[in-house]
Amino acid sequence: QDLLYQHTEKAVLEEELSTASFTFSSDMRQAGYDTTTAFTIAETSRVEILGDIDNNGTADVVRYYLDPMPSSTKFYLKRTVNGGTATTAGRNFRKFYLTYYDNVGITTSDPSTIKSISVLAIMENDKQFYGDYLRSSWQAQIFPPSINK
């Protein structure tokens, strides 16, 4: 029964990470869409983009950042759109690390030179199994089409 519970917990964890990664990567692919500026903040655990994410002809401001979980060493991944109320894009992140690259593949922190963004995300579940937490990870490099023409 413990093994079945562990497999169920792992499936839930992977689904949560899949949902968070889908939302994040969808937003990042819209960076620069219908605007001349794509990135306004480019930090290792925080990013802000401009892009028309809802396809209404107006650029939106989308921000992702980490917010510590109470009594934990893990984080929520928070998302805001146009300065509105933050929503939780994911929880139980042990790591969410962003790296930005210019047009020749060199790392950059200058938002005006970014052509791609690499993300490494690691989530852990809430419960330990045999003294360890279950983990799920996602790694991707995203090339927003609007800034890579």
Side-chain angles (χ1 to χ4, degrees):
Q1 190 169 9
D2 275 350
L3 189 57
L4 177 60
Y5 184 69
Q6 185 177 355
H7 284 291
T8 302
E9 284 290 310
K10 179 73 170 175
V12 168
L13 183 67
E14 288 176 352
E15 181 61 30
E16 288 177 359
L17 182 57
S18 176
T19 300
S21 64
F22 177 81
T23 303
F24 181 82
S25 61
S26 294
D27 284 346
M28 292 304 109
R29 281 193 293 275
Q30 296 301 316
Y33 180 62
D34 262 358
T35 182
T36 57
T37 303
F39 292 87
T40 54
I41 296 173
E43 299 171 0
T44 56
S45 61
R46 189 168 67 119
V47 61
E48 183 177 272
I49 64 155
L50 298 176
D52 186 5
I53 63 166
D54 53 10
N55 207 24
N56 67 357
T58 303
D60 300 291
V61 179
V62 182
R63 179 181 291 184
Y64 283 88
Y65 62 95
L66 294 178
D67 189 28
M69 295 177 68
S71 303
S72 177
T73 57
K74 300 174 202 166
F75 299 89
Y76 293 109
L77 179 62
K78 295 290 190 167
R79 175 184 185 255
T80 62
V81 178
N82 296 323
T85 302
T87 58
T88 300
R91 62 184 186 91
N92 290 327
F93 279 94
R94 170 64 65 194
K95 184 173 194 168
F96 189 83
Y97 192 83
L98 305 171
T99 308
Y100 308 88
Y101 298 92
D102 65 14
N103 62 333
V104 292
I106 297 173
T107 58
T108 183
S109 59
D110 178 355
S112 68
T113 64
I114 295 171
K115 293 296 183 181
S116 70
I117 179 173
S118 174
V119 58
L120 171 61
I122 300 172
M123 270 186 170
E124 281 184 347
N125 71 327
D126 292 322
K127 300 171 188 73
Q128 286 187 346
F129 291 93
Y130 306 107
D132 205 3
Y133 293 98
L134 298 175
R135 290 188 176 102
S136 188
S137 64
W138 171 63
Q139 189 168 5
Q141 189 160 3
I142 303 162
F143 295 84
S146 294
I147 60 174
N148 285 289
K149 294 180 180 178

